[in-house]
Amino acid sequence: EIRHLAALIQNLKEKEQTTQATIKLYNRILSPARRVPPEIWSDIFYHCLPTKRNPIMSTSDAPLLLTRVCSAWRSAALSSPRLWARLHIPFACITVQEDQRQYFAREMKRRSEGVKYWLSRSGTCPISLSVLYTSY
């Protein structure tokens, strides 16, 4: 009888360990950050934008940086028009050599497509653009 009870206790301890391991795996999914509604993330992200200037198109700066953290943040950021209603576009005046014109034209086309895509995400929000033209 004692051996039987000891075996049952051992079996229950093993089940407990398995259950604890499973709970540990799901703790990440159940974290409070996962339960934050997207509109709250949107408000938080808005406060991550630069305050002294318009954001630039850089993955090291909000809002693009926020889209690279995880899929939930990406979805929340991309669906938040206020994040995309401001943009700073720097231009440098450079002399383009004949052999570089095609590259320069492709680069400018790519950049203008990026601006178009960025601003298309702003929805009906008022847009704020700043352009800096620097000559060397």
Side-chain angles (χ1 to χ4, degrees):
E1 181 73 27
I2 292 177
R3 282 189 198 145
H4 176 68
L5 290 176
L8 282 175
I9 290 172
Q10 182 60 33
N11 189 15
L12 288 173
K13 284 182 180 181
E14 289 171 7
K15 283 184 179 181
E16 179 189 27
Q17 288 176 346
T18 303
T19 303
Q20 289 297 336
T22 302
I23 289 171
K24 196 173 185 178
L25 288 174
Y26 287 106
N27 272 342
R28 282 179 250 145
I29 295 171
L30 301 173
S31 73
R34 294 239 180 213
R35 294 189 302 262
V36 174
E39 52 275 1
I40 301 298
W41 283 123
S42 177
D43 287 342
I44 293 169
F45 292 167
Y46 183 75
H47 292 287
C48 293
L49 295 174
T51 56
K52 305 249 190 260
R53 62 173 172 79
N54 285 338
I56 59 173
M57 284 191 293
S58 169
T59 57
S60 62
D61 204 8
L64 284 179
L65 174 65
L66 300 169
T67 66
R68 299 172 58 115
V69 175
C70 67
S71 62
W73 282 28
R74 178 178 176 78
S75 177
L78 292 177
S79 62
S80 302
R82 287 191 313 163
L83 298 181
W84 308 97
R86 297 171 42 213
L87 179 61
H88 176 70
I89 307 168
F91 283 100
C93 177
I94 58 170
T95 304
V96 179
Q97 303 299 322
E98 185 66 35
D99 61 335
Q100 297 174 326
R101 287 198 178 164
Q102 284 184 339
Y103 168 78
F104 182 74
R106 280 193 310 270
E107 186 63 24
M108 291 307 291
K109 182 172 175 56
R110 185 185 68 78
R111 210 163 161 198
S112 66
E113 290 296 321
V115 169
K116 184 177 167 183
Y117 180 73
W118 180 292
L119 296 177
S120 73
R121 294 221 163 265
S122 67
T124 59
C125 292
I127 293 173
S128 172
L129 286 177
S130 55
V131 179
L132 176 64
Y133 180 80
T134 311
S135 61
Y136 294 100

